[in-house]
Amino acid sequence: NAEYMGIKKAILNVVSADESYKGLEKLLPILKDKFGLIFTDQPVYELKPEIERNRRQGAANVGMTAPIDVIVPPGPTGMDPSQIHFFHALQIPTKIQKAQIEIVKDVHLCKKGRKITNSEAVLLQRLNLKPFQYGMEVLTVYDDGSILSNELVSLSPDDVIKKFQTGCSYITALSLELGIPTEASVVQNIFNGFKNLAAISVVSGYKFRQFSDQAAPAQAAPAKEAAPAKAAAPVKEEKP
């Protein structure tokens, strides 16, 4: 809380000293709970995975709220039979195998959002289990007066291009369906119009230069292919 008040006061001092930094006031509602500020000129979509990949295993402490469900797998525990009261307190089915306690099936020990009890914390400690991971998560990004959401800063330039191309294809399809030409559909409109003119030319016999230039290579190709077929026709032989 003291750290938050210090940062809040520093931001207000900067804004009061220079109006060009007034956009920093947008950070005030975001800076709450446990947070950290990272100053960088590196692209966020490159830096974000590096930050969130750096995580550490953590033990379960009494009274803390479990961030995830904790499932203890079956198998030997390495604990001698004198410590079986821990398992009885937690209603965990066990058996004695080779002078040690063995859990016989998966146990849902801690539930997400529920506080860790003393018995749960002690059992996890004795099993040498650290079920939780701790690290930083990028929630928002401040850039030149704008607050960018987590989903937005995760996009790379390639992702933005793909989304733009998808949007253009939707606009083109809608324009063609409604018959309303747009900048996105004009190429397809011209292509469809040329196909219609070509179809009319073939049916009516009326020729125009653009179609003739395109059709000439296609009409010449079958003739070249037919010539060898004619030369290869079988010769009829008469028997004496």
Side-chain angles (χ1 to χ4, degrees):
N1 193 21
E3 180 184 6
Y4 167 70
M5 296 302 295
I7 293 177
K8 180 180 179 181
K9 184 177 180 180
I11 291 176
L12 294 176
N13 289 339
V14 170
V15 172
S16 62
D18 191 340
E19 285 294 323
S20 63
Y21 293 105
K22 192 172 182 61
L24 290 174
E25 292 181 339
K26 296 180 181 179
L27 290 173
L28 298 180
I30 299 173
L31 302 180
K32 56 184 179 180
D33 299 328
K34 295 181 179 179
F35 66 89
L37 300 177
I38 299 175
F39 299 87
T40 179
D41 57 359
Q42 183 178 349
V44 181
Y45 71 90
E46 295 178 355
L47 184 61
K48 183 175 181 290
E50 296 180 16
I51 295 173
E52 297 182 347
R53 187 167 51 243
N54 187 17
R55 308 184 74 83
R56 292 185 178 182
Q57 295 294 126
N61 298 319
V62 179
M64 70 176 293
T65 301
I68 59 171
D69 291 331
V70 177
I71 308 296
V72 178
T77 62
M79 300 169 63
D80 61 79
S82 65
Q83 305 181 66
I84 200 167
H85 63 279
F86 287 110
F87 301 91
H88 290 166
L90 296 170
Q91 299 182 348
I92 298 175
T94 59
K95 66 179 180 179
I96 306 300
Q97 185 77 14
K98 296 182 180 180
Q100 65 174 324
I101 302 171
E102 183 173 321
I103 300 175
V104 298
K105 64 178 182 179
D106 286 334
V107 178
H108 194 169
L109 185 63
C110 306
K111 293 184 179 180
K112 181 179 179 180
R114 196 186 68 180
K115 291 187 179 298
I116 305 294
T117 65
N118 182 65
S119 297
E120 293 170 346
V122 171
L123 179 59
L124 289 170
Q125 183 180 2
R126 296 197 177 188
L127 294 176
N128 197 27
L129 294 177
K130 295 182 178 180
F132 305 136
Q133 288 187 339
Y134 299 94
M136 292 188 295
E137 180 182 0
V138 177
L139 299 178
T140 53
V141 172
Y142 175 84
D143 183 19
D144 195 22
S146 299
I147 301 295
L148 308 179
S149 66
N150 182 25
E151 295 78 11
L152 187 59
V153 299
S154 299
L155 297 175
S156 68
D158 291 338
D159 295 329
V160 175
I161 292 174
K162 289 179 182 178
K163 288 182 176 294
F164 180 77
Q165 290 174 336
T166 301
C168 288
S169 65
Y170 288 156
I171 294 175
T172 301
L174 184 61
S175 300
L176 294 173
E177 183 68 22
L178 297 177
I180 302 175
T182 63
E183 187 173 350
S185 68
V186 66
V187 174
Q188 191 65 40
N189 288 131
I190 295 173
F191 180 70
N192 290 342
F194 182 82
K195 287 198 302 182
N196 293 335
L197 290 174
I200 294 173
S201 176
V202 171
V203 173
S204 65
Y206 177 81
K207 305 295 182 182
F208 59 97
R209 180 177 57 80
Q210 291 82 354
F211 176 64
S212 300
D213 293 344
Q214 295 291 329
Q219 293 174 349
K224 293 180 180 178
E225 295 175 0
K230 185 175 181 181
V235 178
K236 185 177 179 181
E237 296 182 358
E238 295 184 0
K239 294 183 180 180

